[in-house]
PDB file of all heavy atoms in Angstrom:
ATOM      1  N   MET G  57      -6.270 -46.051  14.127  1.00  0.00           N
ATOM      2  CA  MET G  57      -6.946 -47.347  14.132  1.00  0.00           C
ATOM      3  C   MET G  57      -8.330 -47.290  14.775  1.00  0.00           C
ATOM      4  O   MET G  57      -9.046 -48.284  14.784  1.00  0.00           O
ATOM      5  CB  MET G  57      -6.095 -48.384  14.879  1.00  0.00           C
ATOM      6  CG  MET G  57      -4.921 -48.913  14.096  1.00  0.00           C
ATOM      7  SD  MET G  57      -5.400 -49.899  12.664  1.00  0.00           S
ATOM      8  CE  MET G  57      -6.290 -51.255  13.434  1.00  0.00           C
ATOM      9  N   GLY G  58      -8.721 -46.146  15.295  1.00  0.00           N
ATOM     10  CA  GLY G  58      -9.993 -46.027  16.015  1.00  0.00           C
ATOM     11  C   GLY G  58     -11.200 -46.493  15.235  1.00  0.00           C
ATOM     12  O   GLY G  58     -12.086 -47.157  15.781  1.00  0.00           O
ATOM     13  N   GLY G  59     -11.269 -46.180  13.954  1.00  0.00           N
ATOM     14  CA  GLY G  59     -12.403 -46.615  13.138  1.00  0.00           C
ATOM     15  C   GLY G  59     -12.451 -48.115  12.963  1.00  0.00           C
ATOM     16  O   GLY G  59     -13.519 -48.732  13.021  1.00  0.00           O
ATOM     17  N   GLU G  60     -11.288 -48.713  12.756  1.00  0.00           N
ATOM     18  CA  GLU G  60     -11.224 -50.161  12.579  1.00  0.00           C
ATOM     19  C   GLU G  60     -11.540 -50.885  13.892  1.00  0.00           C
ATOM     20  O   GLU G  60     -12.215 -51.917  13.895  1.00  0.00           O
ATOM     21  CB  GLU G  60      -9.850 -50.569  12.048  1.00  0.00           C
ATOM     22  CG  GLU G  60      -9.639 -50.221  10.583  1.00  0.00           C
ATOM     23  CD  GLU G  60      -9.492 -48.730  10.288  1.00  0.00           C
ATOM     24  OE1 GLU G  60      -9.077 -47.960  11.180  1.00  0.00           O
ATOM     25  OE2 GLU G  60      -9.811 -48.332   9.161  1.00  0.00           O
ATOM     26  N   ILE G  61     -11.057 -50.334  14.990  1.00  0.00           N
ATOM     27  CA  ILE G  61     -11.351 -50.913  16.307  1.00  0.00           C
ATOM     28  C   ILE G  61     -12.860 -50.863  16.574  1.00  0.00           C
ATOM     29  O   ILE G  61     -13.466 -51.852  16.986  1.00  0.00           O
ATOM     30  CB  ILE G  61     -10.558 -50.188  17.415  1.00  0.00           C
ATOM     31  CG1 ILE G  61      -9.056 -50.465  17.257  1.00  0.00           C
ATOM     32  CG2 ILE G  61     -11.057 -50.581  18.798  1.00  0.00           C
ATOM     33  CD1 ILE G  61      -8.154 -49.550  18.079  1.00  0.00           C
ATOM     34  N   ALA G  62     -13.467 -49.716  16.306  1.00  0.00           N
ATOM     35  CA  ALA G  62     -14.907 -49.561  16.546  1.00  0.00           C
ATOM     36  C   ALA G  62     -15.719 -50.486  15.645  1.00  0.00           C
ATOM     37  O   ALA G  62     -16.690 -51.105  16.091  1.00  0.00           O
ATOM     38  CB  ALA G  62     -15.323 -48.108  16.333  1.00  0.00           C
ATOM     39  N   ASN G  63     -15.331 -50.604  14.384  1.00  0.00           N
ATOM     40  CA  ASN G  63     -16.103 -51.473  13.497  1.00  0.00           C
ATOM     41  C   ASN G  63     -15.869 -52.945  13.794  1.00  0.00           C
ATOM     42  O   ASN G  63     -16.724 -53.777  13.502  1.00  0.00           O
ATOM     43  CB  ASN G  63     -15.846 -51.150  12.027  1.00  0.00           C
ATOM     44  CG  ASN G  63     -17.005 -50.377  11.435  1.00  0.00           C
ATOM     45  OD1 ASN G  63     -18.148 -50.533  11.846  1.00  0.00           O
ATOM     46  ND2 ASN G  63     -16.709 -49.532  10.469  1.00  0.00           N
ATOM     47  N   SER G  64     -14.751 -53.275  14.387  1.00  0.00           N
ATOM     48  CA  SER G  64     -14.539 -54.650  14.853  1.00  0.00           C
ATOM     49  C   SER G  64     -15.550 -54.975  15.954  1.00  0.00           C
ATOM     50  O   SER G  64     -16.164 -56.048  15.952  1.00  0.00           O
ATOM     51  CB  SER G  64     -13.106 -54.815  15.369  1.00  0.00           C
ATOM     52  OG  SER G  64     -12.881 -56.119  15.810  1.00  0.00           O
ATOM     53  N   LEU G  65     -15.761 -54.046  16.857  1.00  0.00           N
ATOM     54  CA  LEU G  65     -16.776 -54.226  17.905  1.00  0.00           C
ATOM     55  C   LEU G  65     -18.186 -54.211  17.310  1.00  0.00           C
ATOM     56  O   LEU G  65     -19.062 -54.967  17.739  1.00  0.00           O
ATOM     57  CB  LEU G  65     -16.632 -53.143  18.975  1.00  0.00           C
ATOM     58  CG  LEU G  65     -15.336 -53.188  19.781  1.00  0.00           C
ATOM     59  CD1 LEU G  65     -15.210 -51.945  20.648  1.00  0.00           C
ATOM     60  CD2 LEU G  65     -15.263 -54.449  20.613  1.00  0.00           C
ATOM     61  N   ASN G  66     -18.390 -53.366  16.315  1.00  0.00           N
ATOM     62  CA  ASN G  66     -19.680 -53.303  15.634  1.00  0.00           C
ATOM     63  C   ASN G  66     -19.994 -54.634  14.950  1.00  0.00           C
ATOM     64  O   ASN G  66     -21.147 -55.081  14.947  1.00  0.00           O
ATOM     65  CB  ASN G  66     -19.658 -52.161  14.605  1.00  0.00           C
ATOM     66  CG  ASN G  66     -21.025 -51.783  14.106  1.00  0.00           C
ATOM     67  OD1 ASN G  66     -22.016 -51.865  14.820  1.00  0.00           O
ATOM     68  ND2 ASN G  66     -21.078 -51.350  12.855  1.00  0.00           N
ATOM     69  N   PHE G  67     -18.984 -55.283  14.384  1.00  0.00           N
ATOM     70  CA  PHE G  67     -19.185 -56.603  13.782  1.00  0.00           C
ATOM     71  C   PHE G  67     -19.656 -57.606  14.832  1.00  0.00           C
ATOM     72  O   PHE G  67     -20.563 -58.398  14.573  1.00  0.00           O
ATOM     73  CB  PHE G  67     -17.904 -57.113  13.108  1.00  0.00           C
ATOM     74  CG  PHE G  67     -18.051 -58.521  12.614  1.00  0.00           C
ATOM     75  CD1 PHE G  67     -18.698 -58.784  11.415  1.00  0.00           C
ATOM     76  CD2 PHE G  67     -17.588 -59.594  13.352  1.00  0.00           C
ATOM     77  CE1 PHE G  67     -18.876 -60.086  10.964  1.00  0.00           C
ATOM     78  CE2 PHE G  67     -17.752 -60.899  12.918  1.00  0.00           C
ATOM     79  CZ  PHE G  67     -18.398 -61.147  11.714  1.00  0.00           C
ATOM     80  N   GLU G  68     -19.033 -57.574  16.017  1.00  0.00           N
ATOM     81  CA  GLU G  68     -19.436 -58.499  17.083  1.00  0.00           C
ATOM     82  C   GLU G  68     -20.904 -58.303  17.440  1.00  0.00           C
ATOM     83  O   GLU G  68     -21.648 -59.271  17.619  1.00  0.00           O
ATOM     84  CB  GLU G  68     -18.559 -58.314  18.328  1.00  0.00           C
ATOM     85  CG  GLU G  68     -17.096 -58.642  18.112  1.00  0.00           C
ATOM     86  CD  GLU G  68     -16.859 -60.068  17.657  1.00  0.00           C
ATOM     87  OE1 GLU G  68     -17.569 -60.994  18.106  1.00  0.00           O
ATOM     88  OE2 GLU G  68     -15.958 -60.276  16.832  1.00  0.00           O
ATOM     89  N   TYR G  69     -21.316 -57.059  17.529  1.00  0.00           N
ATOM     90  CA  TYR G  69     -22.708 -56.742  17.837  1.00  0.00           C
ATOM     91  C   TYR G  69     -23.636 -57.216  16.710  1.00  0.00           C
ATOM     92  O   TYR G  69     -24.662 -57.847  16.958  1.00  0.00           O
ATOM     93  CB  TYR G  69     -22.841 -55.229  18.058  1.00  0.00           C
ATOM     94  CG  TYR G  69     -24.242 -54.777  18.355  1.00  0.00           C
ATOM     95  CD1 TYR G  69     -24.849 -55.088  19.561  1.00  0.00           C
ATOM     96  CD2 TYR G  69     -24.953 -54.036  17.427  1.00  0.00           C
ATOM     97  CE1 TYR G  69     -26.140 -54.672  19.836  1.00  0.00           C
ATOM     98  CE2 TYR G  69     -26.241 -53.612  17.689  1.00  0.00           C
ATOM     99  CZ  TYR G  69     -26.836 -53.933  18.897  1.00  0.00           C
ATOM    100  OH  TYR G  69     -28.112 -53.532  19.162  1.00  0.00           O
ATOM    101  N   ALA G  70     -23.246 -56.931  15.460  1.00  0.00           N
ATOM    102  CA  ALA G  70     -24.068 -57.326  14.313  1.00  0.00           C
ATOM    103  C   ALA G  70     -24.163 -58.850  14.206  1.00  0.00           C
ATOM    104  O   ALA G  70     -25.235 -59.389  13.884  1.00  0.00           O
ATOM    105  CB  ALA G  70     -23.486 -56.740  13.028  1.00  0.00           C
ATOM    106  N   LEU G  71     -23.075 -59.555  14.476  1.00  0.00           N
ATOM    107  CA  LEU G  71     -23.089 -61.019  14.432  1.00  0.00           C
ATOM    108  C   LEU G  71     -24.049 -61.583  15.477  1.00  0.00           C
ATOM    109  O   LEU G  71     -24.831 -62.497  15.194  1.00  0.00           O
ATOM    110  CB  LEU G  71     -21.675 -61.564  14.644  1.00  0.00           C
ATOM    111  CG  LEU G  71     -21.522 -63.090  14.651  1.00  0.00           C
ATOM    112  CD1 LEU G  71     -21.958 -63.695  13.322  1.00  0.00           C
ATOM    113  CD2 LEU G  71     -20.074 -63.462  14.974  1.00  0.00           C
ATOM    114  N   LYS G  72     -23.995 -61.023  16.661  1.00  0.00           N
ATOM    115  CA  LYS G  72     -24.908 -61.464  17.732  1.00  0.00           C
ATOM    116  C   LYS G  72     -26.362 -61.215  17.319  1.00  0.00           C
ATOM    117  O   LYS G  72     -27.215 -62.093  17.479  1.00  0.00           O
ATOM    118  CB  LYS G  72     -24.567 -60.716  19.021  1.00  0.00           C
ATOM    119  CG  LYS G  72     -25.382 -61.133  20.210  1.00  0.00           C
ATOM    120  CD  LYS G  72     -24.937 -60.378  21.450  1.00  0.00           C
ATOM    121  CE  LYS G  72     -25.740 -60.786  22.650  1.00  0.00           C
ATOM    122  NZ  LYS G  72     -25.303 -60.107  23.866  1.00  0.00           N
ATOM    123  N   LEU G  73     -26.646 -60.044  16.788  1.00  0.00           N
ATOM    124  CA  LEU G  73     -28.005 -59.740  16.328  1.00  0.00           C
ATOM    125  C   LEU G  73     -28.420 -60.662  15.195  1.00  0.00           C
ATOM    126  O   LEU G  73     -29.551 -61.157  15.164  1.00  0.00           O
ATOM    127  CB  LEU G  73     -28.095 -58.288  15.848  1.00  0.00           C
ATOM    128  CG  LEU G  73     -28.067 -57.192  16.888  1.00  0.00           C
ATOM    129  CD1 LEU G  73     -28.110 -55.826  16.206  1.00  0.00           C
ATOM    130  CD2 LEU G  73     -29.219 -57.334  17.863  1.00  0.00           C
ATOM    131  N   TYR G  74     -27.518 -60.885  14.261  1.00  0.00           N
ATOM    132  CA  TYR G  74     -27.832 -61.733  13.103  1.00  0.00           C
ATOM    133  C   TYR G  74     -28.154 -63.161  13.523  1.00  0.00           C
ATOM    134  O   TYR G  74     -29.061 -63.781  12.964  1.00  0.00           O
ATOM    135  CB  TYR G  74     -26.663 -61.721  12.120  1.00  0.00           C
ATOM    136  CG  TYR G  74     -26.897 -62.618  10.936  1.00  0.00           C
ATOM    137  CD1 TYR G  74     -27.756 -62.221   9.911  1.00  0.00           C
ATOM    138  CD2 TYR G  74     -26.296 -63.867  10.846  1.00  0.00           C
ATOM    139  CE1 TYR G  74     -28.007 -63.046   8.828  1.00  0.00           C
ATOM    140  CE2 TYR G  74     -26.535 -64.695   9.760  1.00  0.00           C
ATOM    141  CZ  TYR G  74     -27.382 -64.276   8.758  1.00  0.00           C
ATOM    142  OH  TYR G  74     -27.631 -65.106   7.694  1.00  0.00           O
ATOM    143  N   ARG G  75     -27.422 -63.673  14.480  1.00  0.00           N
ATOM    144  CA  ARG G  75     -27.679 -65.049  14.929  1.00  0.00           C
ATOM    145  C   ARG G  75     -29.048 -65.180  15.591  1.00  0.00           C
ATOM    146  O   ARG G  75     -29.665 -66.226  15.534  1.00  0.00           O
ATOM    147  CB  ARG G  75     -26.569 -65.509  15.871  1.00  0.00           C
ATOM    148  CG  ARG G  75     -25.284 -65.796  15.115  1.00  0.00           C
ATOM    149  CD  ARG G  75     -24.181 -66.202  16.036  1.00  0.00           C
ATOM    150  NE  ARG G  75     -22.993 -66.595  15.264  1.00  0.00           N
ATOM    151  CZ  ARG G  75     -21.799 -66.714  15.791  1.00  0.00           C
ATOM    152  NH1 ARG G  75     -21.611 -66.507  17.092  1.00  0.00           N
ATOM    153  NH2 ARG G  75     -20.783 -67.065  15.032  1.00  0.00           N
ATOM    154  N   ARG G  76     -29.529 -64.114  16.219  1.00  0.00           N
ATOM    155  CA  ARG G  76     -30.859 -64.138  16.828  1.00  0.00           C
ATOM    156  C   ARG G  76     -31.942 -63.798  15.824  1.00  0.00           C
ATOM    157  O   ARG G  76     -33.052 -64.314  15.890  1.00  0.00           O
ATOM    158  CB  ARG G  76     -30.929 -63.152  17.990  1.00  0.00           C
ATOM    159  CG  ARG G  76     -30.293 -63.670  19.254  1.00  0.00           C
ATOM    160  CD  ARG G  76     -30.569 -62.771  20.396  1.00  0.00           C
ATOM    161  NE  ARG G  76     -29.957 -61.470  20.129  1.00  0.00           N
ATOM    162  CZ  ARG G  76     -30.058 -60.410  20.895  1.00  0.00           C
ATOM    163  NH1 ARG G  76     -30.773 -60.470  21.990  1.00  0.00           N
ATOM    164  NH2 ARG G  76     -29.460 -59.288  20.595  1.00  0.00           N
ATOM    165  N   GLN G  77     -31.622 -62.881  14.920  1.00  0.00           N
ATOM    166  CA  GLN G  77     -32.609 -62.379  13.969  1.00  0.00           C
ATOM    167  C   GLN G  77     -31.899 -62.113  12.631  1.00  0.00           C
ATOM    168  O   GLN G  77     -31.388 -61.018  12.407  1.00  0.00           O
ATOM    169  CB  GLN G  77     -33.217 -61.093  14.527  1.00  0.00           C
ATOM    170  CG  GLN G  77     -34.505 -60.698  13.910  1.00  0.00           C
ATOM    171  CD  GLN G  77     -35.107 -59.525  14.673  1.00  0.00           C
ATOM    172  OE1 GLN G  77     -34.458 -58.856  15.468  1.00  0.00           O
ATOM    173  NE2 GLN G  77     -36.365 -59.274  14.402  1.00  0.00           N
ATOM    174  N   PRO G  78     -31.895 -63.100  11.720  1.00  0.00           N
ATOM    175  CA  PRO G  78     -31.138 -62.966  10.464  1.00  0.00           C
ATOM    176  C   PRO G  78     -31.828 -62.085   9.414  1.00  0.00           C
ATOM    177  O   PRO G  78     -32.233 -62.543   8.365  1.00  0.00           O
ATOM    178  CB  PRO G  78     -31.003 -64.413   9.987  1.00  0.00           C
ATOM    179  CG  PRO G  78     -32.163 -65.123  10.582  1.00  0.00           C
ATOM    180  CD  PRO G  78     -32.464 -64.430  11.881  1.00  0.00           C
ATOM    181  N   THR G  79     -31.902 -60.795   9.713  1.00  0.00           N
ATOM    182  CA  THR G  79     -32.524 -59.853   8.780  1.00  0.00           C
ATOM    183  C   THR G  79     -31.495 -59.371   7.757  1.00  0.00           C
ATOM    184  O   THR G  79     -30.284 -59.523   7.934  1.00  0.00           O
ATOM    185  CB  THR G  79     -33.082 -58.629   9.539  1.00  0.00           C
ATOM    186  OG1 THR G  79     -31.988 -57.929  10.134  1.00  0.00           O
ATOM    187  CG2 THR G  79     -34.088 -59.041  10.613  1.00  0.00           C
ATOM    188  N   VAL G  80     -31.991 -58.769   6.704  1.00  0.00           N
ATOM    189  CA  VAL G  80     -31.111 -58.198   5.678  1.00  0.00           C
ATOM    190  C   VAL G  80     -30.250 -57.092   6.285  1.00  0.00           C
ATOM    191  O   VAL G  80     -29.063 -56.987   5.979  1.00  0.00           O
ATOM    192  CB  VAL G  80     -31.935 -57.668   4.480  1.00  0.00           C
ATOM    193  CG1 VAL G  80     -31.065 -56.881   3.517  1.00  0.00           C
ATOM    194  CG2 VAL G  80     -32.637 -58.810   3.768  1.00  0.00           C
ATOM    195  N   TYR G  81     -30.844 -56.273   7.148  1.00  0.00           N
ATOM    196  CA  TYR G  81     -30.071 -55.200   7.769  1.00  0.00           C
ATOM    197  C   TYR G  81     -28.929 -55.770   8.616  1.00  0.00           C
ATOM    198  O   TYR G  81     -27.790 -55.313   8.506  1.00  0.00           O
ATOM    199  CB  TYR G  81     -30.966 -54.309   8.649  1.00  0.00           C
ATOM    200  CG  TYR G  81     -30.163 -53.234   9.340  1.00  0.00           C
ATOM    201  CD1 TYR G  81     -29.790 -52.078   8.660  1.00  0.00           C
ATOM    202  CD2 TYR G  81     -29.735 -53.397  10.659  1.00  0.00           C
ATOM    203  CE1 TYR G  81     -29.022 -51.104   9.272  1.00  0.00           C
ATOM    204  CE2 TYR G  81     -28.964 -52.422  11.274  1.00  0.00           C
ATOM    205  CZ  TYR G  81     -28.615 -51.279  10.581  1.00  0.00           C
ATOM    206  OH  TYR G  81     -27.842 -50.322  11.186  1.00  0.00           O
ATOM    207  N   ASN G  82     -29.221 -56.767   9.450  1.00  0.00           N
ATOM    208  CA  ASN G  82     -28.172 -57.348  10.295  1.00  0.00           C
ATOM    209  C   ASN G  82     -27.080 -58.004   9.452  1.00  0.00           C
ATOM    210  O   ASN G  82     -25.897 -57.909   9.764  1.00  0.00           O
ATOM    211  CB  ASN G  82     -28.764 -58.341  11.294  1.00  0.00           C
ATOM    212  CG  ASN G  82     -29.603 -57.652  12.350  1.00  0.00           C
ATOM    213  OD1 ASN G  82     -29.452 -56.455  12.595  1.00  0.00           O
ATOM    214  ND2 ASN G  82     -30.492 -58.394  12.972  1.00  0.00           N
ATOM    215  N   ARG G  83     -27.466 -58.659   8.381  1.00  0.00           N
ATOM    216  CA  ARG G  83     -26.485 -59.268   7.468  1.00  0.00           C
ATOM    217  C   ARG G  83     -25.637 -58.178   6.809  1.00  0.00           C
ATOM    218  O   ARG G  83     -24.423 -58.314   6.684  1.00  0.00           O
ATOM    219  CB  ARG G  83     -27.195 -60.096   6.409  1.00  0.00           C
ATOM    220  CG  ARG G  83     -26.242 -60.797   5.460  1.00  0.00           C
ATOM    221  CD  ARG G  83     -26.976 -61.617   4.455  1.00  0.00           C
ATOM    222  NE  ARG G  83     -27.716 -62.632   5.186  1.00  0.00           N
ATOM    223  CZ  ARG G  83     -28.335 -63.649   4.634  1.00  0.00           C
ATOM    224  NH1 ARG G  83     -28.302 -63.806   3.329  1.00  0.00           N
ATOM    225  NH2 ARG G  83     -28.994 -64.514   5.356  1.00  0.00           N
ATOM    226  N   SER G  84     -26.285 -57.117   6.376  1.00  0.00           N
ATOM    227  CA  SER G  84     -25.560 -56.010   5.740  1.00  0.00           C
ATOM    228  C   SER G  84     -24.616 -55.331   6.726  1.00  0.00           C
ATOM    229  O   SER G  84     -23.485 -54.974   6.371  1.00  0.00           O
ATOM    230  CB  SER G  84     -26.547 -54.980   5.181  1.00  0.00           C
ATOM    231  OG  SER G  84     -27.359 -55.565   4.200  1.00  0.00           O
ATOM    232  N   LEU G  85     -25.068 -55.156   7.955  1.00  0.00           N
ATOM    233  CA  LEU G  85     -24.211 -54.540   8.968  1.00  0.00           C
ATOM    234  C   LEU G  85     -22.986 -55.415   9.233  1.00  0.00           C
ATOM    235  O   LEU G  85     -21.874 -54.905   9.385  1.00  0.00           O
ATOM    236  CB  LEU G  85     -24.995 -54.303  10.260  1.00  0.00           C
ATOM    237  CG  LEU G  85     -24.299 -53.472  11.335  1.00  0.00           C
ATOM    238  CD1 LEU G  85     -23.888 -52.094  10.801  1.00  0.00           C
ATOM    239  CD2 LEU G  85     -25.214 -53.321  12.548  1.00  0.00           C
ATOM    240  N   MET G  86     -23.175 -56.723   9.255  1.00  0.00           N
ATOM    241  CA  MET G  86     -22.030 -57.635   9.402  1.00  0.00           C
ATOM    242  C   MET G  86     -21.073 -57.468   8.230  1.00  0.00           C
ATOM    243  O   MET G  86     -19.859 -57.424   8.414  1.00  0.00           O
ATOM    244  CB  MET G  86     -22.487 -59.096   9.449  1.00  0.00           C
ATOM    245  CG  MET G  86     -22.956 -59.567  10.771  1.00  0.00           C
ATOM    246  SD  MET G  86     -23.189 -61.356  10.818  1.00  0.00           S
ATOM    247  CE  MET G  86     -23.949 -61.758   9.278  1.00  0.00           C
ATOM    248  N   LEU G  87     -21.612 -57.393   7.034  1.00  0.00           N
ATOM    249  CA  LEU G  87     -20.772 -57.252   5.850  1.00  0.00           C
ATOM    250  C   LEU G  87     -19.938 -55.982   5.905  1.00  0.00           C
ATOM    251  O   LEU G  87     -18.715 -56.021   5.757  1.00  0.00           O
ATOM    252  CB  LEU G  87     -21.625 -57.259   4.575  1.00  0.00           C
ATOM    253  CG  LEU G  87     -20.868 -56.923   3.287  1.00  0.00           C
ATOM    254  CD1 LEU G  87     -19.900 -58.050   2.938  1.00  0.00           C
ATOM    255  CD2 LEU G  87     -21.839 -56.670   2.151  1.00  0.00           C
ATOM    256  N   PHE G  88     -20.582 -54.852   6.149  1.00  0.00           N
ATOM    257  CA  PHE G  88     -19.866 -53.580   6.130  1.00  0.00           C
ATOM    258  C   PHE G  88     -18.889 -53.448   7.303  1.00  0.00           C
ATOM    259  O   PHE G  88     -17.760 -53.001   7.122  1.00  0.00           O
ATOM    260  CB  PHE G  88     -20.838 -52.399   6.104  1.00  0.00           C
ATOM    261  CG  PHE G  88     -21.591 -52.297   4.812  1.00  0.00           C
ATOM    262  CD1 PHE G  88     -22.972 -52.373   4.798  1.00  0.00           C
ATOM    263  CD2 PHE G  88     -20.926 -52.159   3.609  1.00  0.00           C
ATOM    264  CE1 PHE G  88     -23.674 -52.288   3.603  1.00  0.00           C
ATOM    265  CE2 PHE G  88     -21.612 -52.076   2.405  1.00  0.00           C
ATOM    266  CZ  PHE G  88     -22.993 -52.141   2.400  1.00  0.00           C
ATOM    267  N   SER G  89     -19.318 -53.828   8.495  1.00  0.00           N
ATOM    268  CA  SER G  89     -18.426 -53.679   9.647  1.00  0.00           C
ATOM    269  C   SER G  89     -17.347 -54.757   9.675  1.00  0.00           C
ATOM    270  O   SER G  89     -16.234 -54.509  10.136  1.00  0.00           O
ATOM    271  CB  SER G  89     -19.221 -53.679  10.954  1.00  0.00           C
ATOM    272  OG  SER G  89     -19.916 -54.896  11.123  1.00  0.00           O
ATOM    273  N   GLY G  90     -17.647 -55.932   9.138  1.00  0.00           N
ATOM    274  CA  GLY G  90     -16.679 -57.021   9.145  1.00  0.00           C
ATOM    275  C   GLY G  90     -15.622 -56.930   8.072  1.00  0.00           C
ATOM    276  O   GLY G  90     -14.611 -57.624   8.122  1.00  0.00           O
ATOM    277  N   THR G  91     -15.855 -56.070   7.079  1.00  0.00           N
ATOM    278  CA  THR G  91     -14.886 -55.899   5.991  1.00  0.00           C
ATOM    279  C   THR G  91     -14.362 -54.466   5.902  1.00  0.00           C
ATOM    280  O   THR G  91     -13.633 -54.131   4.971  1.00  0.00           O
ATOM    281  CB  THR G  91     -15.503 -56.290   4.637  1.00  0.00           C
ATOM    282  OG1 THR G  91     -16.635 -55.452   4.384  1.00  0.00           O
ATOM    283  CG2 THR G  91     -15.930 -57.754   4.617  1.00  0.00           C
ATOM    284  N   ASP G  92     -14.712 -53.631   6.852  1.00  0.00           N
ATOM    285  CA  ASP G  92     -14.334 -52.217   6.845  1.00  0.00           C
ATOM    286  C   ASP G  92     -12.841 -52.013   6.623  1.00  0.00           C
ATOM    287  O   ASP G  92     -12.427 -51.264   5.742  1.00  0.00           O
ATOM    288  CB  ASP G  92     -14.770 -51.585   8.182  1.00  0.00           C
ATOM    289  CG  ASP G  92     -14.285 -50.159   8.362  1.00  0.00           C
ATOM    290  OD1 ASP G  92     -14.783 -49.278   7.639  1.00  0.00           O
ATOM    291  OD2 ASP G  92     -13.404 -49.933   9.220  1.00  0.00           O
ATOM    292  N   PHE G  93     -12.026 -52.669   7.407  1.00  0.00           N
ATOM    293  CA  PHE G  93     -10.581 -52.494   7.315  1.00  0.00           C
ATOM    294  C   PHE G  93     -10.060 -52.988   5.956  1.00  0.00           C
ATOM    295  O   PHE G  93      -9.181 -52.364   5.353  1.00  0.00           O
ATOM    296  CB  PHE G  93      -9.897 -53.225   8.470  1.00  0.00           C
ATOM    297  CG  PHE G  93      -8.457 -52.872   8.693  1.00  0.00           C
ATOM    298  CD1 PHE G  93      -7.898 -51.685   8.261  1.00  0.00           C
ATOM    299  CD2 PHE G  93      -7.642 -53.746   9.385  1.00  0.00           C
ATOM    300  CE1 PHE G  93      -6.563 -51.373   8.488  1.00  0.00           C
ATOM    301  CE2 PHE G  93      -6.305 -53.453   9.624  1.00  0.00           C
ATOM    302  CZ  PHE G  93      -5.766 -52.260   9.170  1.00  0.00           C
ATOM    303  N   LEU G  94     -10.631 -54.062   5.443  1.00  0.00           N
ATOM    304  CA  LEU G  94     -10.181 -54.619   4.169  1.00  0.00           C
ATOM    305  C   LEU G  94     -10.480 -53.676   3.009  1.00  0.00           C
ATOM    306  O   LEU G  94      -9.590 -53.334   2.232  1.00  0.00           O
ATOM    307  CB  LEU G  94     -10.823 -55.985   3.922  1.00  0.00           C
ATOM    308  CG  LEU G  94     -10.465 -56.646   2.592  1.00  0.00           C
ATOM    309  CD1 LEU G  94      -8.965 -56.892   2.479  1.00  0.00           C
ATOM    310  CD2 LEU G  94     -11.248 -57.939   2.424  1.00  0.00           C
ATOM    311  N   TRP G  95     -11.732 -53.252   2.877  1.00  0.00           N
ATOM    312  CA  TRP G  95     -12.038 -52.401   1.722  1.00  0.00           C
ATOM    313  C   TRP G  95     -11.337 -51.057   1.816  1.00  0.00           C
ATOM    314  O   TRP G  95     -10.931 -50.484   0.815  1.00  0.00           O
ATOM    315  CB  TRP G  95     -13.544 -52.256   1.466  1.00  0.00           C
ATOM    316  CG  TRP G  95     -14.363 -51.495   2.460  1.00  0.00           C
ATOM    317  CD1 TRP G  95     -15.155 -52.007   3.434  1.00  0.00           C
ATOM    318  CD2 TRP G  95     -14.486 -50.071   2.564  1.00  0.00           C
ATOM    319  NE1 TRP G  95     -15.746 -50.985   4.148  1.00  0.00           N
ATOM    320  CE2 TRP G  95     -15.357 -49.796   3.635  1.00  0.00           C
ATOM    321  CE3 TRP G  95     -13.936 -48.997   1.865  1.00  0.00           C
ATOM    322  CZ2 TRP G  95     -15.687 -48.497   4.016  1.00  0.00           C
ATOM    323  CZ3 TRP G  95     -14.267 -47.696   2.249  1.00  0.00           C
ATOM    324  CH2 TRP G  95     -15.137 -47.468   3.307  1.00  0.00           C
TER     325      TRP G  95
END
Side-chain angles (χ1 to χ4, degrees):
M57 283 293 298
E60 286 71 25
I61 293 166
N63 256 330
S64 180
L65 295 171
N66 195 32
F67 174 80
E68 296 301 323
Y69 179 70
L71 179 61
K72 183 178 180 178
L73 287 178
Y74 178 76
R75 286 178 175 165
R76 281 189 297 176
Q77 198 172 15
T79 64
V80 171
Y81 178 80
N82 291 339
R83 182 179 298 190
S84 298
L85 189 57
M86 278 190 318
L87 172 69
F88 292 120
S89 61
T91 60
D92 173 69
F93 194 22
L94 178 61
W95 68 259

